[in-house]
Amino acid sequence: MLGNLLVSTLMSASVYAMLAVGFSLTFGVARIINLAHTAFYMVASYIIFTATMKMGLPLYVGVVAAVSLVVLLAMVTYKVLVDPMREHETTVLILTIGVALVLQELMFLWFGGYFRSVPTAVEGFTTLLGVRVSYQYVLTICVLIVTLALVWLLLMKTRLGLAIRATAQDREIANVMGMSDSRTATITVGIAAALAAIAGAIVAPLFIIEPRIWLSPLTVVLAISVLGGLGSLKGSILGAVIIALSENLVVFLVPQGAFFKGAFSLLIMIVVLLIRPEGLYGVAFEEER
Amino acid sequence: MRRYLAYLWREFRGEILVLPGRTILFSATAILLILPLLYPHPYLLRILALTFIFAIFAASWDLLSGFVGQLNLGHAIFFGVAAYASAILNLRLGLPIIITIPVGAVAAVVAGLVVGIPCLRLKGQYLSLATLAFPVILMGLVFMFTEFTGGELGVSGLTRLAPTRLHEYYISAFVGVLSILAIWKITDSKLGLVLHAIREDEVAARASGINTSQYKLIAFCLSGLFAGIAGGLYAHFMRIAGPQSLSMLTSFQAIIWTIFGGIATIYGAVVGVFVLFPMLEVLRVAPEIRLLLYAAIIVLVLRFMPEGLAPWVVDRLERECPRCKEHNAFTRRECRVCGTPLRVPLQKTPVSGEHMSGGEGLSASQEGG
Amino acid sequence: MLLAVKNLTVCYDTAMLLNDVSLNVATGELVGVVGPNGAGKTTLLRTIAGLVRWERECKRGTKAGNITIDGEIHFDGQRIDKLPPDEIARRGLVLCPERRRPFRELSVLDNLRAGAYLVKDHRVFQQSLESVYTMFPILKARAGQVSGTLSGGEQQMLAIARALMTQPKLLCIDEPSTGLSPKIRAELFAKIREIAKSGLTVLLVEQDVSLAFSLSTRNYILSHSKVMAEGTSDELMKDEKVRQSYLGLAGPASA
Ligand SMILES: Nc1ncnc2c1ncn2[C@@H]1O[C@H](COP(=O)(O)OP(=O)(O)OP(=O)(O)O)[C@@H](O)[C@H]1O
Ligand SMILES: [Mg+2]
């Protein structure tokens, strides 16, 4: 029971953290609320599906294809649609909803509304903390955690990471220090999309694929990044753990809890905001003219 | 009587015919009110009635989010609360429409308080994303108390709005026109001025003695009231109140319509609904790609008209007087109010720093601004 | 000339923030720009650093983006007024901005690293870090601290140090003395003098005329968006009209 709770919390926490970190980075550097963020996750799942089920390619080829195509898609969308509109904050909001809807409808058009699934990479089970866990599950969690650690290293230890963190603080001064903000923003959008795509690709074998699977993670990601503090990485990861834990608790403790786990995580978000209006680690942008 | 008519005609010419934008709005309203008498096709009536209902909904979003700047991503909560309240009162207690819709609207006002109070301390994107949560939480409750709310299926079998389609249409149209005019008046009133000041600079507004919290709550309640009217009408028109009315897409619809039409203008919200909602119906000819086309059209239009459709059109038909800021038809050469020529390029004026004469000004050693 | 600004005019919508401003800075000089609040000093530095043009690009299509920039800016023999700010930084022109603006959530060391973003050679980075630490020992003591929690004086030192880390040819400093106590001010200006002595060219915008004049080789007085007077500190201090109208000093020059 406890083991079950721990394992599934770890799973959802790492998926959510992958999504929320990307969302937060995009918000911090490009200063946009990207409501299409989880749609990229959905598209990645479909690319995996196409590669493995339709074209019979091995899984890892599917993953590579998914990540690179989604990154390309995200960067082009950003450059062509969003970047020129950046000053019109509300318009950008609608543009990202529009992009998400376009992607959803394209998937409906090409794949129909059926539930799809893809094969697992590895077979078999092991016993962890007294729970029977499939190897696929373990593999997924490991890949997610390793990816997160790599992103953390990228941000904290590299030159690009420094540019991303500085731009997220003060775009103008970052420019003065020689960091082109538009270049940094485009790269960040790419990294965020890559994270979403990896999440989508890696968990695809464990979940069903359907064109609307972006909606419910979107609410969760929004809740996490608000709760952790918009633009904060630490906040996103901590928020992901909090939300994942509370969701799983509800599912485990309350009969029919699965129905309102989304509602419950948002309730937690509201409570946190009542105490800390800027979330746990809110970033205050330097005022820019 | 004749003098009164003459007065009306003068007012009409002075207020409506002077500006192309107003003329278009006026003729469109007139056509919408007369056409159904000449051509009472039930399908057309149904679409137009829904359009009016959604126009109230979008305008109420614009009042709160565009005008007061409290960007609400969960506007569906007002719509859904009113829809469910009307439906439950009507079905479980057998109350008539004349009571259920107003009570539903009042319920939405209460929802406005429930959402507004926790949001008072929140700013910017935090506020937007927090508001997103409320309808989802309510949706959780709907699924929890299924015997009361009908769960997935909702509450259905409500009394019709009116016995015939034509009646239903005119009820929606009149309530719609009145509500939208009321919202417009609010934004034009002293209250509107205060609300506008809060959007522009909340700190400054507070510093000049405005109780911003109170005014923001008023905005939440007013917006809730009108969204609630729309929700009640919708429930009785469709004869069902279901969880769909609380969904994220319902909230997003209001945002899409308003921003597409032009945010913070009220008329833009209405134009957005009248263009997009019927368009979505027309697109039924291609059911497979209906939503795809819809989303693509919105994205493309906004990409080239970032301020929205209506301001884009108005920009081309009218020009602002540089001196008194009154609008003028594009055909005029000088301002109709102050007579300033409209075509000459503006003189650039150097900004005046503080005056330096008489010894004051730069301090020799003390702190500057 | 290291920096030559020729007939620069900047308008935000209908307001003219700079009106036909020309200014020269030769290599090795410390040039002061003084003037009352709202004269356009910050706008001048922001335009030189490419930020006004960047702002226009960012706000393109909105009313706030209706900015016109006329005139030419030459730096180190090349025209820079059409370049983006990061490119200008690459040429060796750095701005130490008004209100310091450290990257608040980043540590002091990370701020300095951000300053050295364009310095690819690790040895050069280490050397300039050492020299910055010797100049401002407090920064070394605070290296791990989040810069938003530094005191105002420390933040100003950090801002200057960060600018120095870019290995600039020209350092533009905007109002370093704002909000500092007289003692810290004097210390800070001693450092700026030291920086200038070491051979770095400095363009200093300052409200505090006597402090600025005590350092500078030459000055420009900017008022009402225009250059009103130009000359060495002594010349300007002797000019009766300048003293009265722009420096707020009544009476004839004594001593
Ligand atoms: N983005 C802007 N849009 C419109 N006007 C602006 C903008 N930025 C500055 N101004 C105006 O331009 C004028 C000059 O501003 P600037 O900041 O350059 O003055 P300054 O000389 O640096 O003053 P201070 O000594 O107070 O720092 C001011 O009147 C200011 O209000
Ligand atoms: Mg200044």
Side-chain angles (χ1 to χ4, degrees), chain A residues 87 159 169-170 172 181, chain C residues 46 54 58 101 105 117:
Chain A
E87 284 303 301
R159 218 166 140 258
Q169 290 281 308
D170 191 327
E172 212 172 77
D181 75 308
Chain C
R46 276 168 44 86
W54 174 79
C58 283
R101 313 228 337 225
E105 310 263 320
Y117 179 74

Side-chain angles (χ1 to χ4, degrees), chain B residues 151-360:
Chain B
E152 183 83 58
L153 298 174
V155 189
S156 58
L158 277 68
T159 322
R160 278 185 75 161
L161 200 52
T164 73
R165 260 286 126 83
L166 199 63
H167 283 93
E168 285 187 317
Y169 171 76
Y170 275 107
I171 290 178
S172 317
F174 277 116
V175 177
V177 171
L178 287 183
S179 307
I180 292 161
L181 280 180
I183 294 176
W184 200 344
K185 275 289 160 209
I186 290 172
T187 60
D188 220 16
S189 67
K190 230 182 107 195
L191 174 65
L193 216 63
V194 174
L195 296 179
H196 194 90
I198 293 178
R199 179 187 70 185
E200 290 302 311
D201 192 341
E202 197 177 332
V203 181
R206 199 174 315 125
S208 60
I210 295 172
N211 183 345
T212 53
S213 304
Q214 189 188 327
Y215 278 103
K216 279 199 278 182
L217 278 186
I218 292 178
F220 269 99
C221 291
L222 280 175
S223 176
L225 175 74
F226 290 108
I229 293 175
L233 283 175
Y234 180 78
H236 282 285
F237 187 83
M238 302 299 286
R239 308 184 66 193
I240 182 171
Q244 204 54 41
S245 64
L246 283 169
S247 75
M248 199 137 82
L249 285 179
T250 306
S251 302
F252 285 172
Q253 284 288 8
I255 309 173
I256 292 175
W257 289 324
T258 308
I259 293 177
F260 180 87
I263 194 172
T265 55
I266 308 299
Y267 64 85
V270 179
V271 169
V273 179
F274 272 92
V275 173
L276 288 183
F277 188 75
M279 186 180 92
L280 196 54
E281 286 303 317
V282 173
L283 288 178
R284 276 188 201 282
V285 293
E288 292 270 278
I289 52 170
R290 172 169 167 252
L291 265 177
L292 179 65
L293 278 180
Y294 180 70
I297 290 173
I298 291 167
V299 167
L300 282 182
V301 169
L302 282 181
R303 172 65 182 75
F304 296 103
M305 305 175 189
E307 312 260 7
L309 179 65
W312 188 86
V313 172
V314 168
D315 253 10
R316 271 152 197 73
L317 292 181
E318 297 172 9
R319 64 179 68 220
E320 194 180 62
C321 167
R323 207 160 105 217
C324 60
K325 305 289 174 216
E326 284 290 337
H327 276 230
N328 287 282
F330 67 99
T331 45
R332 294 189 71 98
R333 282 169 189 285
E334 67 274 330
C335 175
R336 68 197 159 92
V337 179
C338 65
T340 314
L342 293 171
R343 296 280 162 87
V344 288
L346 268 181
Q347 208 67 48
K348 307 240 172 182
T349 45
V351 292
S352 46
E354 274 153 43
H355 255 290
M356 293 288 85
S357 51
E360 58 160 329

Side-chain angles (χ1 to χ4, degrees), chain A residues 289, chain B residues 351 369, chain C residues 12 17 36-43 55 98 175 207:
Chain A
R289 293 193 297 178
Chain B
V351 292
Chain C
Y12 274 71
L17 270 60
N37 291 119
K41 306 181 297 292
T42 302
T43 310
E55 184 182 354
E98 193 175 23
E175 288 195 28
Q207 286 270 342

Side-chain angles (χ1 to χ4, degrees), chain A residues 55-126:
Chain A
M55 301 165 72
L57 299 169
L59 191 64
Y60 69 91
V61 178
V63 174
V64 172
V67 172
S68 33
L69 287 176
V70 167
V71 167
L72 192 69
L73 174 70
M75 299 225 276
V76 169
T77 321
Y78 175 73
K79 270 288 165 205
V80 175
L81 284 180
V82 177
D83 193 36
M85 301 283 111
R86 190 140 81 184
E87 284 303 301
H88 303 267
E89 206 182 303
T90 45
T91 307
V92 167
L93 203 65
I94 294 304
L95 282 176
T96 61
I97 299 178
V99 168
L101 283 178
V102 167
L103 292 176
Q104 172 191 309
E105 289 306 309
L106 282 177
M107 296 307 135
F108 263 119
L109 199 62
W110 292 333
F111 300 97
Y114 314 107
F115 289 179
R116 310 285 195 168
S117 56
V118 299
T120 54
V122 284
E123 299 291 330
F125 291 89
T126 178

Side-chain angles (χ1 to χ4, degrees), chain A residues 37 100 145 151 210:
Chain A
H37 188 61
I145 290 180
V151 172
E210 190 251 332

